[in-house]
Amino acid sequence: MDAYEEKGRGLRLAAKELVLDFMQATTECRPGGEGMRQTAIFRGCGLDWGDYPTATSASQQFWAVALLRELEAESRVERNSKLWRLV
């Protein structure tokens, strides 16, 4: 793996830990809680760069879907309808 791929892997791991920390600190996201929408998690973690031409806040969230789905595959979060919470 080259240096850039390794740095990218490190960023993805850090982003996953950030999301998990945020969810643990948020009552709605704790196990048994109501859950929180992906958008609120994304913005609550400070991952939104703001609106730019062809890069609106909504389009920036696509990578967050993969992050949450990976955490789901690891059995660390679950999705209830459109809301996410810790397992």
Side-chain angles (χ1 to χ4, degrees):
M1 182 176 291
D2 76 10
Y4 293 105
E5 289 174 336
E6 186 61 32
K7 286 181 181 182
R9 182 178 178 276
L11 287 171
R12 288 190 307 276
L13 290 172
K16 285 171 45 176
E17 289 305 314
L18 173 68
V19 168
L20 289 170
D21 289 347
F22 172 81
M23 292 178 80
Q24 184 61 44
T26 307
T27 305
E28 296 87 2
C29 293
R30 291 191 186 140
E34 179 181 331
M36 186 177 278
R37 293 181 67 91
Q38 167 197 305
T39 302
I41 294 169
F42 175 76
R43 291 184 179 142
C45 288
L47 299 172
D48 185 358
W49 290 73
D51 284 324
Y52 290 96
T54 68
T56 63
S57 175
S59 65
Q60 293 169 30
Q61 295 176 48
F62 286 114
W63 71 270
V65 175
L67 185 153
L68 288 166
R69 290 295 184 181
E70 185 163 324
L71 290 173
E72 181 182 42
E74 295 171 0
S75 299
R76 298 176 84 179
V77 301
E78 63 186 359
R79 186 173 180 206
N80 179 12
S81 182
K82 293 185 178 187
L83 304 178
W84 293 90
R85 66 179 173 213
L86 295 168
V87 174

